[in-house]
Amino acid sequence: MSKYKLVLLRHGEGTWNKENRFCSWVDQKLSEDGVKEAQDCGRLLKEQGCKFDLVFTSILSRSIQTAWLVLEAMDQEWVPVVKSWRLNERHYGALIGLNRAEMALQHGEEKVKLWRRSYDITPPLIDESHPYYLEIYNDRRYTTCDVPKENLPRAESLKEVLDRLLPFWHSTVVPEIQRGKTVLISAHGNSCRALLKHLEGVSDEAIANVTLPTGIPVQLELDENLKPLKPRQLLGDQAKIQAAIKKVEDQGKAKQAT
Ligand SMILES: O=C(O)[C@@H](COP(=O)(O)O)OP(=O)(O)O
């Protein structure tokens, strides 16, 4: 029998997900479809009888808004929510704001796949000339982090995401799970992939083939050492989930932006 249940969730579709642009640390709200995805996710979790004691989110609006909508749909709005920059999406550096399909045309699909899914390749760093540099680094939310603003990342590989996420996981999330709390982590495609890699011991090579669609809860059943007792379960209609995974993967295929 499983000791603990943990649910990881990539937020509902954001406005830049829809436009196929690398969103990363730019703060975008959910699209209309993204709101619906989050509400559907909450309804599904309610139907499954899921009762959360604690929710963790990043400090990006799309993950926070998703957590609110999920809790509202579950009639569990009272559940405490804790936010940390350490659950933020991977910092995509100079790629932020660019269209994936156009990048694939310019640099090739393989290169875009390496940037998006490899474990230890860091994309080109963002610098002050980047159109979104000031929007990110002048944002007041980054004065609340547990590291000085100058030490925040300028781009990250998945490995670097895991390196900044793990201290928070061990110091803050793990003790709550071990106290018996059922936890929802409402975060991002790559912060959830990093955590899955850690929990499931996915190899550096195999993690390249793990893709998470928006708004689909990933349920993990863990033993007392927080090791998975069975394979992760993506909850919902499996044919729709497979189609949604393919859609995310196909975002990196070469075509002109429309
Ligand atoms: O930064 C982004 O644009 C996406 C991930 O992009 P890919 O790694 O899928 O290219 O993150 P999220 O929508 O989960 O916040």
Side-chain angles (χ1 to χ4, degrees):
M1 234 195 55
S2 76
K3 177 104 177 144
Y4 307 118
K5 182 155 87 175
L6 171 67
V7 177
L8 304 182
L9 176 62
R10 180 180 178 197
H11 59 82
E13 182 193 69
T15 44
W16 280 15
N17 296 132
K18 206 176 199 77
E19 295 172 23
N20 200 11
R21 298 168 74 187
F22 288 103
C23 190
S24 180
W25 281 36
V26 170
D27 198 49
Q28 291 279 318
K29 297 279 167 36
L30 298 184
S31 68
E32 259 179 55
D33 287 343
V35 168
K36 195 172 166 305
E37 283 174 357
Q39 291 167 331
D40 288 347
C41 171
R43 280 191 280 269
L44 176 71
L45 290 168
K46 186 179 179 189
E47 267 165 38
Q48 306 251 334
C50 205
K51 293 185 174 60
F52 291 119
D53 300 303
L54 188 55
V55 178
F56 293 96
T57 72
S58 73
I59 57 171
L60 291 163
S61 302
R62 56 195 189 274
S63 80
I64 299 165
Q65 215 186 338
T66 298
W68 288 345
L69 291 165
V70 166
L71 290 175
E72 185 183 29
M74 299 178 80
D75 297 315
Q76 295 180 33
E77 291 98 328
W78 60 271
V79 172
V81 179
V82 175
K83 306 178 184 84
S84 171
W85 76 275
R86 291 180 183 274
L87 289 171
N88 268 17
E89 181 50 300
R90 177 241 280 256
H91 195 309
Y92 261 118
L95 301 181
I96 287 177
L98 298 176
N99 180 284
R100 293 179 187 80
E102 284 182 345
M103 286 296 97
L105 264 184
Q106 280 174 34
H107 301 277
E109 291 179 3
E110 267 316 296
K111 182 80 180 167
V112 172
K113 174 139 198 228
L114 282 177
W115 278 332
R116 295 179 75 202
R117 294 293 172 259
S118 62
Y119 182 53
D120 53 10
I121 292 178
T122 308
L125 302 192
I126 196 168
D127 67 23
E128 288 175 23
S129 67
H130 189 282
Y132 291 96
Y133 183 91
L134 290 179
E135 182 174 321
I136 295 171
Y137 294 99
N138 282 349
D139 192 317
R140 198 165 65 89
R141 82 193 70 200
Y142 294 111
T143 60
T144 66
C145 301
D146 58 358
V147 294
K149 213 157 71 163
E150 327 59 90
N151 294 352
L152 288 170
R154 295 298 189 261
E156 297 175 299
S157 63
L158 192 69
K159 179 176 185 309
E160 288 162 324
V161 174
L162 190 54
D163 289 346
R164 55 101 153 146
L165 193 156
L166 277 183
F168 179 74
W169 168 255
H170 287 302
S171 69
T172 310
V173 186
V174 168
E176 297 290 3
I177 295 175
Q178 287 178 330
R179 265 177 218 126
K181 292 195 177 160
T182 300
V183 164
L184 166 68
I185 298 186
S186 172
H188 302 266
N190 294 297
S191 43
C192 290
R193 287 175 67 237
L195 205 46
L196 277 177
K197 184 179 191 305
H198 171 71
L199 290 170
E200 296 179 337
V202 181
S203 71
D204 297 2
E205 293 71 35
I207 196 65
N209 298 317
V210 176
T211 290
L212 298 178
T214 51
I216 302 293
V218 181
Q219 182 171 286
L220 295 169
E221 296 188 24
L222 307 172
D223 70 12
E224 61 278 11
N225 299 312
L226 272 56
K227 294 278 167 240
L229 287 160
K230 47 172 147 157
R232 76 185 87 112
Q233 277 179 279
L234 273 65
L235 304 179
D237 179 319
Q238 295 303 308
K240 281 193 191 150
I241 291 172
Q242 286 313 312
I245 289 174
K246 182 161 182 333
K247 192 171 157 200
V248 176
E249 284 169 353
D250 286 352
Q251 287 180 318
K253 296 235 164 101
K255 65 173 170 7
Q256 303 282 359
T258 47

